[in-house]
Amino acid sequence: MMTLLKYDFRRNWNTLLAGLAVLIIVQIGLALFFSEVTGSVIGVIAYIGAGVAIYVKMIKTYRSNIRSFNRRLVPVTGLSHVLSPIIFGTLCWLGLMVVAAIHYFIYSTTHTGINFTSYINDSGIHLSEILNVLLFLWWVAMFSIIIIFLSISIGGSFRFKTGPWISIVAFFVLINVISWLENIIFSGRFNPNELFHFTEESTALSFTSNRITWSDGTWASIIFEIIVAVILVGVAVYLNNKKVEV
């Protein structure tokens, strides 16, 4: 798998560097030519856009893994074709978070006159709760990407030109079936509001922690999704090895 992962990074390295350069230039431009509030809002949107671009790159990498004839010549297992894009995207997201953290540190040290507490009330929020939210968002992204991967494999198993449309239909069918099963078993999925409570006021946006991290129901739901994810990955590997046309 490391061989395939190194190949993914080597092939996308120039794109990643170009995206990083554009992101830095955009943030510098926002700091120089926009007001503090406007620049901060657009800056956050830029980071979200970069995260979405990484997500799309993961999907394109997976499709290339299973459809390209040259990639089939790489001496790796079928499971590696699924795990490599996931690890690739996770490492890219971690790199993006490091860049965002450095940006925040530089911004906070160079704008000492700004008092963020006058705009945002983050009372009761601890680092562990922020990490819980990030971990939850990562799992949601990974579970969704596994469903997308299987949908691509299902569409690739047909020789017809309607393969992409079959992938789209398969994605919505899988999403609805899994959500239906989870709602029946656990009476609804984990709600992020269990971690934080958001209140918009006339002068500020208040973030307060409900001090609820991972309840028994949440853990049961996550374990259920992990089991489902393993099954979906197994089906995707089977289709890639036996059915998908290169």
Side-chain angles (χ1 to χ4, degrees):
M1 184 178 66
M2 293 303 298
T3 301
L4 192 58
L5 184 60
K6 291 179 181 178
Y7 184 88
D8 288 336
F9 270 104
R10 191 181 304 115
R11 187 184 63 168
N12 296 308
W13 190 246
N14 290 334
T15 302
L16 293 175
L17 290 179
L20 177 61
V22 171
L23 181 62
I24 293 175
I25 292 173
V26 168
Q27 297 297 342
I28 293 175
L30 292 174
L32 293 177
F33 303 107
F34 287 81
S35 64
E36 293 171 354
V37 176
T38 303
S40 298
V41 172
I42 299 178
V44 171
I45 295 175
Y47 279 111
I48 295 175
V52 173
I54 293 173
Y55 199 82
V56 174
K57 177 62 69 173
M58 291 171 63
I59 298 173
K60 295 179 64 176
T61 300
Y62 176 75
R63 188 179 185 280
S64 177
N65 285 353
I66 67 174
R67 298 301 297 270
S68 175
F69 178 77
N70 293 333
R71 301 302 293 273
R72 291 298 184 94
L73 299 178
V74 180
V76 294
T77 62
L79 182 61
S80 299
H81 289 93
V82 179
L83 296 182
S84 179
I86 292 176
I87 298 175
F88 168 79
T90 300
L91 293 177
C92 289
W93 277 328
L94 288 176
L96 183 64
M97 291 177 60
V98 170
V99 172
I102 295 174
H103 180 197
Y104 175 77
F105 175 77
I106 295 175
Y107 188 86
S108 60
T109 54
T110 56
H111 294 73
T112 55
I114 297 178
N115 184 11
F116 287 101
T117 58
S118 61
Y119 298 98
I120 298 177
N121 176 21
D122 58 353
S123 60
I125 297 179
H126 301 286
L127 178 61
S128 61
E129 293 170 323
I130 296 176
L131 293 177
N132 278 334
V133 171
L134 294 177
L135 181 60
F136 172 75
L137 293 177
W138 174 83
W139 172 246
V140 170
M142 292 302 100
F143 190 63
S144 300
I145 203 71
I146 290 174
I147 296 176
I148 293 175
F149 285 174
L150 177 57
S151 301
I152 294 174
S153 296
I154 292 175
S157 301
F158 294 87
R159 298 181 180 180
F160 311 109
K161 294 182 179 181
T162 55
W165 293 104
I166 295 176
S167 296
I168 294 173
V169 172
F171 172 76
F172 284 106
V173 170
L174 288 171
I175 283 289
N176 284 280
V177 169
I178 294 172
S179 297
W180 175 72
L181 288 174
E182 196 164 6
N183 285 325
I184 289 179
I185 298 174
F186 302 105
S187 299
R189 292 197 53 182
F190 171 56
N191 188 349
N193 288 330
E194 293 180 8
L195 279 177
F196 293 96
H197 178 68
F198 306 92
T199 303
E200 184 178 358
E201 301 174 358
S202 59
T203 58
L205 184 64
S206 176
F207 295 80
T208 56
S209 174
N210 293 330
R211 300 200 179 277
I212 300 176
T213 52
W214 298 95
S215 62
D216 293 338
T218 302
W219 277 115
S221 179
I222 295 297
I223 292 174
F224 169 80
E225 291 181 353
I226 292 175
I227 295 173
V228 172
V230 171
I231 296 174
L232 297 181
V233 169
V235 175
V237 171
Y238 171 78
L239 292 177
N240 295 340
N241 293 335
K242 302 295 184 180
K243 301 294 183 179
V244 175
E245 297 287 339
V246 296

